């Protein structure tokens, strides 16, 4: 018997209008999204369709004009450590080492040192940077920095991991490797993840479901289940099934001028 999945986080009838003295921008219109516990979903859409705005509202860093965000069925207000964030721009503390960056939130929570040590060791090893523990961010490559940012977010055991184009600034090879590592991390540990990207291929590779948004005002125009094997390698991207889903999303984004601004080339 199929069990109904528990909804971890959702947004209901969400609208966002940016108002200034002269202008009014309807950035998000009537967004309804449900994300199950431990589900990995992506949101794709053309540049300016409101993806980052939506993520910031999920994070509590920005407020919706109307509508609600529910976390575990409770209306959520403001930011909290229940949501971990990873952004495109590298956001590590430059004066702290790799290890200290990962430990940062645990120290803030006043977690006893032996317990924090275990968590830090686990994530240093999971991201393959145990030997780089004493390095400063400026001594790391872009990919390494993002691995530390992901480890720092996950070490805090967030209820939901929010990722805003985290691999957007990386070269294609590093980006592919990071996608693979993130997917493996998710397969092994299972987290609820909301991943924002304008890269369709990236969204399909990483996710169980992809929400497709229209150009401004941002609306959800499709909710696409990704029926691909759970265990994924980069060669999956060359399979017929993968290409079929990727093209389907591409067509959706370009239909009825929904995606006339799309930056993605795939
Ligand atoms: P995306 O992440 O999809 O590129 P954004 O969420 O950054 O889109 O922006 C959505 C729309 O809202 C854009 O038209 C953008 O110019 C506008 N916008 C974003 N932030 C602000 C702001 N702080 N004030 C006014 N307009 C904004």
């Amino acid at each position: 018997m199929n069990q109904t999945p528990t909804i971890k986080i959702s947004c209901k009838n969400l609208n966002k209008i940016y108002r200034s003295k002269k202008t009014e921008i309807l950035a998000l219109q009537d967004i309804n999204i449900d994300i199950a516990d431990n589900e990995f979903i992506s949101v794709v859409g053309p540049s300016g369709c409101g993806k980052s705005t939506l993520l910031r509202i999920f994070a509590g860093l920005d407020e919706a004009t109307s509508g609600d965000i529910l976390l575990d069925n409770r209306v959520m207000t403001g930011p909290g450590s229940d949501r971990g964030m990873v952004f495109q721009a590298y956001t590590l503390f430059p004066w702290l080492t790799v290890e200290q960056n990962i430990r940062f939130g645990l120290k803030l929570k006043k977690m006893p040192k032996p317990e924090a040590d275990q968590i830090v060791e686990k994530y240093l090893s999971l991201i393959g940077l145990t030997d780089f523990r004493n390095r400063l961010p400026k001594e790391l490559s872009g990919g390494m920095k993002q691995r530390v940012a992901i480890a720092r977010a996950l070490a805090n055991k967030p209820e939901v991991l929010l990722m805003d184009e985290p691999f957007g600034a990386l070269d294609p090879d590093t980006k592919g490797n990071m996608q693979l590592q993130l997917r493996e991390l998710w397969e092994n540990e299972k987290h609820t993840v909301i991943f924002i990207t304008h890269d369709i291929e990236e969204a399909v590779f990483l996710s169980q479901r992809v929400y497709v948004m229209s150009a401004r005002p941002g609306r959800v125009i499709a909710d696409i289940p990704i029926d691909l094997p759970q265990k994924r390698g980069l060669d999956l991207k060359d399979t017929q099934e993968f290409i079929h889903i990727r093209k389907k999303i591409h067509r959706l984004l370009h239909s009825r001028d929904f995606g006339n601004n799309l930056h993605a080339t795939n």
Side-chain angles (χ1 to χ4, degrees):
M1 206 171 66
N2 272 347
Q3 274 188 321
T4 317
T6 315
I7 300 300
K8 185 71 195 173
I9 188 163
S10 55
C11 70
K12 303 280 180 213
N13 310 321
L14 193 124
N15 290 283
K16 174 68 180 178
I17 302 170
Y18 286 110
R19 290 196 175 97
S20 70
K21 277 188 184 136
K22 285 189 188 143
T23 57
E24 211 170 71
I25 295 172
L26 178 57
L28 295 171
Q29 187 175 38
D30 201 24
I31 306 283
N32 286 285
I33 285 180
D34 283 328
I35 299 140
D37 200 16
N38 292 334
E39 192 176 25
F40 195 128
I41 70 111
S42 287
V43 179
V44 295
S47 182
C49 76
K51 301 183 295 297
S52 296
T53 300
L54 182 63
L55 204 75
R56 279 205 308 277
I57 295 174
F58 268 120
L61 299 173
D62 204 341
E63 272 187 21
T65 308
S66 61
D68 287 319
I69 302 284
L70 305 179
L71 181 66
D72 291 324
N73 269 322
R74 284 190 303 275
V75 173
M76 205 194 73
T77 49
S81 61
D82 46 17
R83 281 144 292 149
M85 294 278 303
V86 182
F87 299 94
Q88 176 176 339
Y90 308 126
T91 51
L92 298 177
F93 300 115
W95 60 90
L96 297 182
T97 63
V98 166
E99 178 180 339
Q100 289 165 337
N101 264 286
I102 299 175
R103 193 183 289 276
F104 185 81
L106 308 178
K107 240 179 155 172
L108 220 57
K109 279 196 229 174
K110 299 198 166 44
M111 181 181 282
K113 192 168 176 301
E115 199 183 330
D117 283 348
Q118 262 190 10
I119 295 174
V120 171
E121 290 312 317
K122 172 181 149 182
Y123 281 103
L124 274 171
S125 154
L126 272 175
I127 61 169
L129 289 181
T130 306
D131 292 346
F132 289 76
R133 63 194 313 146
N134 294 322
R135 301 283 180 93
L136 289 168
K138 68 175 182 205
E139 299 171 293
L140 305 177
S141 69
M144 286 172 171
K145 281 187 226 183
Q146 284 310 61
R147 269 144 65 194
V148 179
I150 294 168
R152 186 180 60 180
L154 289 179
N156 285 311
K157 278 208 167 310
E159 299 283 340
V160 182
L161 182 62
L162 303 169
M163 307 186 87
D164 191 356
E165 303 235 17
F167 309 145
L170 303 176
D171 65 78
D173 278 353
T174 311
K175 188 175 181 175
N177 270 325
M178 291 297 294
Q179 291 166 355
L180 191 61
Q181 288 190 27
L182 180 61
R183 179 72 203 183
E184 278 173 358
L185 207 62
W186 180 83
E187 277 163 16
N188 293 332
E189 291 217 317
K190 293 286 191 301
H191 304 278
T192 310
V193 184
I194 306 180
F195 191 99
I196 299 287
T197 181
H198 65 255
D199 183 335
I200 303 171
E201 183 182 271
E202 175 166 80
V204 175
F205 179 74
L206 289 171
S207 316
Q208 289 173 294
R209 250 170 351 109
V210 174
Y211 285 100
V212 183
M213 287 181 67
S214 67
R216 215 178 75 204
R219 282 159 292 146
V220 172
I221 54 170
D223 171 3
I224 311 282
I226 309 298
D227 294 322
L228 293 170
Q230 285 294 308
K231 194 139 189 59
R232 300 182 188 176
L234 287 176
D235 49 1
L236 180 72
K237 294 182 180 181
D238 299 324
T239 62
Q240 285 301 318
E241 296 85 343
F242 187 96
I243 294 167
H244 175 77
I245 302 174
R246 201 194 74 201
K247 284 187 171 166
K248 179 172 162 182
I249 296 176
H250 182 86
R251 277 196 302 275
L252 272 165
L253 277 167
H254 289 84
S255 64
R256 291 194 275 156
D257 283 338
F258 273 141
N260 49 11
N261 256 336
L262 192 70
H263 281 177
T265 49
N266 46 357

